[in-house]
Amino acid sequence: MKNAIKVKADRVVGEIDPRIYGHFVENMARCIYDGLLRNERPGKPSGPWKLREEVVGWFRDLKPPVVRWPGGLYADGYNWRDGIGPLEARPMRRNRYWSRYGPATRVMDPNAFGSDEFMRLSRQIGAEPYVNVNLGTGSANEAARWVEYMNGGAETVEGRRRSEYGHELTYGVRTWGIGNEMYGFWALGHMPAEEYARRYLEFVDAMEEVDSDLELVAVGADHYFSNTWNREVLSTAGDRVGLLSIHCYLPGMERIGGVALTRLLKGGPGLYSAIVAAPLEFERRLGEAVQDIKAVMGERAEVRIAFDEWNLWWTPWQVQVPRWTLRDALFACGVFHALHRMSNWVSMANVAQLVNVLGLILTMGDRAVRTAMYYPFVLYSLAGPTRVQSTCECGSFDSPGAGGIPPISSVPYLDVSATLSGDGKALTVFVINRHPGEPVDCSLAIDGFSPAGTVEEHVLDGPSTTALNWFADEKVGITVSRRETGQVTPRCAFPAHSATALVFKKKAPPRKAAKKKATEKPAEE
Ligand code: AHR
Ligand code: AHR
């Protein structure tokens, strides 16, 4: 098989919204409390709770574009007023959603991380905030007052309150989600699509009365849960929907013949193939949502997708102690390529979640580690906003599927995506090699961009597909090297089970002849 990658850097095929590399923190299990925050007095549920500097630093390092909060399913039981004002006066409550599963998912809610703390974190890490209001058990007025607390000036009641609590300037939160997974029987206040759409409009009216410049996110459903929900919601409320939220976790916590999927497949090559192929299933499912949008709103629809919860999930354990391996990191890289291909429709995506709960970062006691799943986010922070054409000829494999990941035939070993920086001076070519055991040797041709003499090569890899990072023992990570451009084009080898970013810099244009005969005196050194 002749392997060949061709990049046409002057053929723009889409604009990528940087928000596709977004995040999500929910008051669930040990994501916020005991994850992002550490209890300074363990055993005393009211804390004091302090941000873990190490975790915040790692979060900031990812240059996160956006962070969603406070849920998730938690959002539809949350009263934002519990989380403002002096810490010592905030109520200790039962976590209205997650307490149902007991201590594993969090019973008590100390309300020490509310709106002002969330905004402080967003600023510390440089991310845009995305707040999810409570539609399931809350009211439109409650949501509108929350918008006022965040965005209202000192002339408003809630804006004044914010100011009294020490935050004089408005926060200007633009993106707001209205309810979460309302189609699901498991959601607090779940309801039929028609009723959701009606209530959604009430919320939009009330929230926009406070601030007319909001980007609003409506609950959408993956077809696995309902193939009528999206069309019903959009036909009533589509004109007022900015983004349609879609969530997807694969392969799902399925049992086959009474045995958990993971027990059947644990670590085996079948599971590896299924997982690295799973992004193609995300792409297919997102495509179904696009069809819904087009069917109701027309080909020129302005509604876009917020893929605001995505990840792998196959055992309840992963909510406690995710043990992400290199395999899972390659899956996440594949998700970014799928989102690049869908960039005309997907404007935001948020991995679930940042810490502990299926988290990119794992903490235990005082220790913390960046799991394998953290590194795709580092690698893809090298991507530019402009997607340019790339083609790839290579071998392929048939994936057997697992749980919600169907069998997929002819999955290409290599998956390529190429982007240009905003100023057009850097071309990044991303190449995933899904082959579990062999490097792939490949020709690489670049048109429409003259690379400078050296290229930066960033390779995400580890010793094996099941390599994982544990405390003070990181096996999966990124190595960076500088190479001569002639070493990667016209031929390049991509290691087995790896993802590579080749960053080419544009060759400086030749100095203009006019400069030589400049009459001005050269500046002194
Ligand atoms: O991310 C964990 C949970 O999964 C979220 O709360 C919910 O929206 C989803 O079902
Ligand atoms: O650390 C707990 C382990 O992690 C569980 O045994 C397994 O199911 C999970 O992957």
Side-chain angles (χ1 to χ4, degrees):
M1 176 85 204
K2 185 173 151 282
N3 300 307
I5 295 173
K6 288 187 187 144
V7 176
K8 289 201 186 303
D10 47 5
R11 288 264 180 88
V12 172
V13 287
E15 290 301 318
I16 301 168
D17 192 316
R19 294 185 299 174
I20 64 163
Y21 313 104
H23 296 273
F24 171 39
V25 293
E26 174 170 11
N27 184 5
M28 168 186 179
R30 298 188 305 121
C31 180
I32 291 179
Y33 302 104
D34 271 330
L36 203 50
L37 305 173
R38 208 176 142 272
N39 192 341
E40 302 272 282
R41 227 173 297 158
K44 192 164 174 274
S46 57
W49 293 91
K50 287 269 144 58
L51 275 179
R52 286 184 204 245
E53 291 310 325
E54 190 178 33
V55 170
V56 173
W58 287 345
F59 195 8
R60 191 193 302 115
D61 291 345
L62 295 177
K63 305 188 199 89
V66 57
V67 55
R68 176 178 183 236
W69 170 82
L73 290 159
Y74 173 79
D76 287 295
Y78 183 56
N79 182 346
W80 67 272
R81 290 192 188 275
D82 288 344
I84 57 167
L87 281 169
E88 55 293 354
R90 296 192 195 170
M92 173 70 72
R93 296 211 193 277
R94 271 182 92 75
N95 184 316
R96 227 171 139 190
Y97 189 82
W98 292 109
S99 58
R100 62 175 66 179
Y101 299 108
T105 51
R106 183 149 300 279
V107 175
M108 296 312 288
D109 183 354
N111 279 306
F113 190 82
S115 298
D116 297 307
E117 290 77 20
F118 171 65
M119 287 311 305
R120 189 166 152 236
L121 173 74
S122 312
R123 285 177 177 179
Q124 266 180 289
I125 58 173
E128 200 185 297
Y130 165 20
V131 175
N132 213 110
V133 304
N134 174 349
L135 177 138
T137 63
S139 69
N141 180 51
E142 198 179 299
R145 302 284 72 77
W146 198 0
V147 175
E148 190 176 296
Y149 185 84
M150 295 299 219
N151 298 356
E155 73 288 356
T156 65
V157 174
E158 299 303 339
R160 190 156 54 248
R161 197 187 313 275
R162 181 193 65 242
S163 194
E164 277 162 21
Y165 290 154
H167 312 279
E168 202 186 320
L169 298 176
T170 59
Y171 289 131
V173 177
R174 196 171 154 257
T175 307
W176 295 79
I178 304 183
N180 178 76
E181 297 184 0
M182 283 290 114
Y183 51 85
F185 62 84
W186 55 86
L188 281 170
H190 102 93
M191 57 189 77
E194 198 190 315
E195 188 183 339
Y196 172 73
R198 219 175 0 88
R199 295 210 64 204
Y200 173 86
L201 289 175
E202 276 172 37
F203 274 62
V204 173
D205 283 341
M207 292 163 76
E208 285 190 337
E209 205 176 294
V210 179
D211 184 341
S212 57
D213 188 23
L214 303 179
E215 179 184 50
L216 298 169
V217 186
V219 171
D222 178 13
H223 280 204
Y224 177 79
F225 294 111
S226 165
N227 51 20
T228 54
W229 175 277
N230 294 339
R231 293 181 192 218
E232 287 185 70
V233 169
L234 291 172
S235 47
T236 303
D239 290 339
R240 315 229 11 222
V241 172
L243 300 172
L244 183 70
S245 151
I246 300 289
H247 295 173
C248 190
Y249 297 92
L250 289 172
M253 282 179 278
E254 319 235 343
R255 298 177 84 80
I256 298 167
V259 185
L261 177 72
T262 33
R263 291 273 295 281
L264 285 172
L265 294 168
K266 207 163 189 170
L271 186 60
Y272 174 82
S273 305
I275 286 181
V276 296
L280 302 176
E281 173 63 4
F282 273 180
E283 199 170 339
R284 193 190 66 76
R285 294 192 189 195
L286 290 168
E288 288 177 332
V290 171
Q291 290 313 318
D292 292 337
I293 294 173
K294 285 188 186 168
V296 181
M297 312 297 295
E299 291 287 325
R300 307 184 60 178
E302 285 179 10
V303 175
R304 292 290 174 270
I305 293 173
F307 192 30
D308 52 8
E309 287 185 31
W310 65 267
N311 211 335
L312 295 168
W313 195 353
W314 60 79
T315 154
W317 262 105
Q318 289 167 304
V319 165
Q320 305 302 319
V321 183
R323 295 162 62 86
W324 300 127
T325 63
L326 174 60
R327 169 198 64 206
D328 309 320
L330 296 177
F331 152 82
C333 295
V335 173
F336 292 141
H337 287 210
L339 297 176
H340 287 179
R341 289 189 288 270
M342 298 204 65
S343 64
N344 295 339
W345 287 98
V346 181
S347 293
M348 173 161 62
N350 309 70
V351 67
Q353 302 185 359
L354 179 75
V355 195
N356 293 331
V357 178
L358 312 168
L360 310 186
I361 296 168
L362 171 65
T363 72
M364 256 184 213
D366 285 339
R367 297 178 306 166
V369 61
R370 288 164 290 192
T371 74
M373 206 64 123
Y374 176 91
Y375 288 97
F377 289 82
V378 178
L379 194 70
Y380 286 81
S381 68
L382 297 165
T386 307
R387 190 177 156 238
V388 297
Q389 195 185 79
S390 62
T391 55
C392 177
E393 283 170 38
C394 63
S396 63
F397 61 97
D398 294 333
S399 154
I405 311 166
I408 304 176
S409 52
S410 305
V411 179
Y413 280 117
L414 298 186
D415 192 334
V416 181
S417 184
T419 67
L420 273 182
S421 59
D423 61 8
K425 288 184 180 160
L427 169 70
T428 308
V429 180
F430 294 95
V431 182
I432 303 168
N433 177 8
R434 298 184 173 110
H435 201 295
E438 284 173 26
V440 173
D441 182 59
C442 191
S443 69
L444 173 58
I446 294 174
D447 265 7
F449 187 95
S450 321
T454 57
V455 53
E456 255 177 45
E457 186 184 49
H458 301 245
V459 182
L460 191 171
D461 202 355
S464 71
T465 59
T466 52
L468 61 85
N469 292 351
W470 208 242
F471 302 95
D473 181 21
E474 291 204 8
K475 295 238 162 42
V476 178
I478 295 175
T479 49
V480 185
S481 52
R482 265 182 181 287
R483 302 177 63 184
E484 296 299 316
T485 299
Q487 292 178 292
V488 298
T489 114
R491 285 206 85 75
C492 190
F494 300 97
H497 51 64
S498 70
T500 300
L502 295 168
V503 186
F504 298 93
K505 292 278 154 63
K506 202 173 213 161
K507 201 181 196 171
R511 287 180 163 226
K512 284 198 187 121
K515 271 212 168 153
K516 282 191 199 145
K517 43 178 180 171
T519 48
E520 272 172 43
K521 232 178 108 187
E524 291 192 11
E525 295 279 295

